[in-house]
Amino acid sequence: MNFTEEFAEVIVTVIDKQIEKEQVITMIETPKYKEMGDLAFPCFSLAKHYRKPPKVIAQEISKEIQTPLFEEVKAVGGYVNVYLNKTEVSSKILTQIITEKEYYGSTNIGQGGVVTIDLSSPNIAKPFSMGHLRSTVIGNSLGLVLEKCGYKPVRINYLGDWGTQFGKLIVAYQKWGSEGQVRENPIQELFRLYVHFHKEAENDPSLNDRGREAFKKLEDGDEETLKLWKWFREESLKEFMKIYNMLGISFDSNHGEAFYNDKMDRVVQLLEENNLLEESDGAQVVNLEDSAPCLIKKRDGTTLYATRDVAAAIYRQETYHFVKSLYVVGHEQTLHFKQLFKVLEKMGYEWHAGLAHIPFGMILKDGKKMSTRKGKTVLLEEVLKEAIELAEKGIKEKNPDLASKDEIARQVGVGAVIFHDLKIFRMNNIEFSLEDMLRFEGETAPYVQYTHARACSLLRRGNDKIHLSIDKFEDVEAWPVISLLMNFPGVIQQALKDYDPSKIAKFVIELSRAFNKYYATVKILDSNKVQERLALVYAVKIVLNEGLRLLGIESPEEM
């Protein structure tokens, strides 16, 4: 039951202006201070229609509202503020959560429409660095939220497995590499060669030309360079899968840039047929009115990211028939996606309207961007392993007899790393700090996981006293917890609307705090209200578990 929708329906029936319920829902606010009510409707937009001050409109509307769900209705300035009937609302919310369980907060907004999500996309032949964590966990969480809202997400790991950098790597391997060393330690050795190439190229710029020539040979299907490239890609995927397994993330497609090599001629042909290709300094471009031209082919005939991305977008639409296609890629690529979407629009594809770039800030180290090229990077696998070790150490100190210590340490350590990213609004940069990331107090996943485990412990101890139907919930001290539980469906929808998982992360922290405060204030098991209080605990457990799941984090039942 969504009480915001109930309030919106009441408002629509009271006012004589033709206004859609959906519009009213978007206008309803939560007052800043609890004493001002639970929900508020601003009347300012109605002033022009009624030709009255908002304050007067609010007073008139508040007198008309009568429903058992509202304990009190007040006009406060230009707002209609309502105070929910705590007993009525609490009983309905708890019954709904306990009945629906993990489906609480689910909607069918998406009506089964497919949404492709371009996420993670690390470069082959390089270690999986912290720099790729953001795209991976933001994209995965958005997929879970989309699924919760009735869409069918298709997660695509658009691997960086093509481009001039691979020509450079092939030159580096042929010049300084050893097959034995690469076989023994593939990613680290290839990464060392890549970094060495760029150091040498600073003194010998001709190396860059050799790198470009090697990539041209690769594009032309030269047997030796193609064999090396396939080997590099295969070894990289094996390493990446270790990371994805640790994070609990899987993909529906691992088609990288190279997959579209045989699909780019068609793109060029379509652009020519639409008279969109123009020559500029020997290169071929598509002129765009509101930004720089989009480069399709270089002078030497090699293709670029844009060419492949146009081919990829067309392929995905023809394969998946998506209603939306999301690109979870750093904000520094904003111009690229603006150009890409404009080119597809000029090509006459109406589905271009469903394309969206989901940008995010960088993970910085000492205030600077991590550079793979210069070898200044932090490896995600090392961070995850250290987080798990720290979690295991904490568990051994606090609960040495705990069963499945290794599994719970994995859930807690990995959860800490994921949550540290997702609790921050995606457009903000994150300063890399292992100490902050692995902190197990405050606004962290372990704090939420521990709250969930505490709820599970209470339920185990009071198992025979749980009643799964609530006729009358009158525990007023639980209201701060109930009001948050009530907001969970709205938080999910807001996270979807803004493509912002941090809204869910902030919510589970807030709910954990409210529940722990309640736990410290009342006696749950030793009380004449034990049945209704355990029903509340059960509802909190369900919502915390589901909130963490939507972030891609597991919820241990013991810690």
Side-chain angles (χ1 to χ4, degrees), residues 137-282:
V137 298
I138 292 169
N140 184 57
S141 180
L142 289 178
L144 293 165
V145 171
L146 283 157
E147 201 168 30
K148 182 84 172 171
C149 294
Y151 290 96
K152 288 182 181 174
V154 173
R155 293 173 179 81
I156 298 169
N157 194 3
Y158 187 48
L159 294 166
D161 61 0
W162 206 247
T164 311
Q165 70 265 38
F166 297 106
K168 293 176 179 179
L169 181 61
I170 285 163
V171 169
Y173 174 75
Q174 290 170 334
K175 198 169 172 61
W176 304 292
S178 151
E179 183 179 343
Q181 284 178 300
V182 172
R183 290 202 179 279
E184 191 179 325
N185 210 346
I187 300 300
Q188 284 76 0
E189 181 59 18
L190 291 172
F191 182 48
R192 186 192 69 77
L193 289 169
Y194 182 75
V195 172
H196 185 70
F197 178 94
H198 285 282
K199 281 181 182 172
E200 291 294 322
E202 286 175 12
N203 300 318
D204 182 6
S206 69
L207 280 171
N208 290 320
D209 294 327
R210 286 184 61 185
R212 282 188 282 271
E213 286 164 15
F215 176 57
K216 184 70 169 68
K217 285 169 76 177
L218 190 60
E219 280 208 308
D220 293 340
D222 177 73
E223 196 175 325
E224 186 188 348
T225 50
L226 203 56
K227 186 180 175 184
L228 284 173
W229 172 82
K230 283 179 180 174
W231 177 36
F232 297 163
R233 188 182 194 277
E234 200 176 286
E235 294 297 338
S236 300
L237 269 174
K238 285 180 196 170
E239 291 296 308
F240 294 161
M241 287 316 297
K242 291 180 191 174
I243 309 286
Y244 293 131
N245 289 337
M246 287 174 85
L247 291 168
I249 292 172
S250 59
F251 298 91
D252 301 291
S253 165
N254 281 304
H255 289 326
E257 294 173 38
F259 177 76
Y260 298 98
N261 281 347
D262 61 354
K263 298 166 183 60
M264 288 188 288
D265 286 345
R266 180 189 170 200
V267 169
V268 175
Q269 188 183 335
L270 287 167
L271 288 167
E272 284 172 345
E273 286 171 7
N274 284 281
N275 297 315
L276 293 172
L277 272 189
E278 296 181 20
E279 193 173 308
S280 175
D281 293 330

Side-chain angles (χ1 to χ4, degrees), residues 52-67:
K52 293 177 186 177
K55 187 177 178 180
V56 174
I57 299 167
Q59 287 168 349
E60 290 176 354
I61 291 174
S62 63
K63 286 173 187 173
E64 294 287 322
I65 294 176
Q66 289 181 335
T67 167

